[in-house]
Amino acid sequence: MVRLEAEGKVDILLRAQEDDQAAAGGAIEEEEQIQYPFFTEGTQELLQARVDIAQYSLARAKARIERAKRRHADPDEDPEAEADLVVKQAGEFVLECSEIGDDRPLSGCSFSRDASMLATSSWSGMIKVWSMPQITKVATLKGHTERATDVAFSPTDDCLATASADKTAKLWKPDGSLLTSFDGHLDRLARLAFHPSGKYLGTASFDKTWRLWDLNTGKELLLQEGHSRSVYGVSFHPDGSLAASCGLDAYARVWDLRSGRLFYTLKGHVKPS
């Protein structure tokens, strides 16, 4: 070292070492800046479902727009009078009946498509089906091992779906026969909803995802991430084209089922939505 310093080579070696370290650090920073798009390749079943949903929703959207145009062009149409009528009818509601549904709190209820049956879900894990308007219990659905968090009747068939804290959703006949169990969520389920076509089921879970299931095969078609905290609810547009999810991150998100894209994020809540 004394000889190198006497020859003036120490400074040269130190500068070379600093250059090497700077070059190495720059390469690391460059590697950290490179961001690759993250995606999971969809299945053929999901592709077919997207095509089916597009064909279903476009026809319904066309009919809805035509109805809206006719109402807009009708000189006798009075939106304010229609709103006043709705308010008046709501003010005339009276209690029809009251019934104790379970020993533990009820978490959800749903009418069948013809309103002849009502299903209720409970923290006891039981789902009960009642005849209407007699309010007579006709079936008790047993199968969940934890509390039931939601229940919904199909809009097209005589079947119903249930969600539970046991991380599963199930499809039943009204007589209590189990048709399908949907397994895959990593945490307890919250709400669920049928697609308007009656072919698909959406489930929201505390595992921060909502999922889309094929009712005919029982397969998971879509695992949708996007919320930073638990997803509490999911719902579908009447046309069937869009899905909306809400989470404990205080955001509601709207998804295009035909393309899989995030359509819109609804912001404004300051507490879990």
Side-chain angles (χ1 to χ4, degrees), residues 121-241:
S121 57
S122 168
W123 282 9
S124 67
M126 302 293 184
I127 294 87
K128 297 180 181 179
V129 181
W130 311 79
S131 64
M132 300 297 291
Q134 299 84 5
I135 316 299
T136 303
K137 185 173 66 176
V138 297
T140 299
L141 284 55
K142 300 179 182 179
H144 288 296
T145 58
E146 297 286 347
R147 63 185 182 275
T149 57
D150 200 13
V151 60
F153 266 102
S154 169
T156 59
D157 300 310
D158 292 328
C159 62
L160 63 154
T162 59
S164 172
D166 64 8
K167 307 177 186 178
T168 70
K170 297 183 185 296
L171 186 68
W172 312 77
K173 288 184 178 180
D175 61 4
S177 303
L178 179 62
L179 297 175
T180 310
S181 181
F182 304 98
D183 306 316
H185 279 291
L186 304 178
D187 205 339
R188 64 186 186 275
L189 271 64
R191 301 300 184 184
L192 52 71
F194 278 94
H195 188 267
S197 67
K199 296 181 179 180
Y200 311 102
L201 181 71
T203 56
S205 171
F206 279 67
D207 64 6
K208 304 179 183 178
T209 72
W210 69 267
R211 308 191 187 204
L212 187 70
W213 307 84
D214 188 320
L215 293 178
N216 292 325
T217 64
K219 291 184 178 181
E220 177 188 295
L221 297 174
L222 174 66
L223 186 161
Q224 185 62 64
E225 298 175 316
H227 288 276
S228 61
R229 297 185 64 187
S230 303
V231 182
Y232 190 76
V234 62
S235 183
F236 296 101
H237 190 281
D239 291 347
S241 57

Side-chain angles (χ1 to χ4, degrees), residues 1-34:
M1 293 294 295
V2 173
R3 185 174 64 254
L4 292 175
E5 184 176 2
E7 295 176 356
K9 296 181 179 180
V10 172
D11 293 338
I12 297 175
L13 292 174
L14 291 176
R15 283 197 297 270
Q17 184 180 7
E18 291 174 356
D19 294 340
D20 292 341
Q21 292 176 348
I28 293 174
E29 291 179 359
E30 184 178 355
E31 291 178 359
E32 291 178 349
Q33 291 176 357
I34 297 177

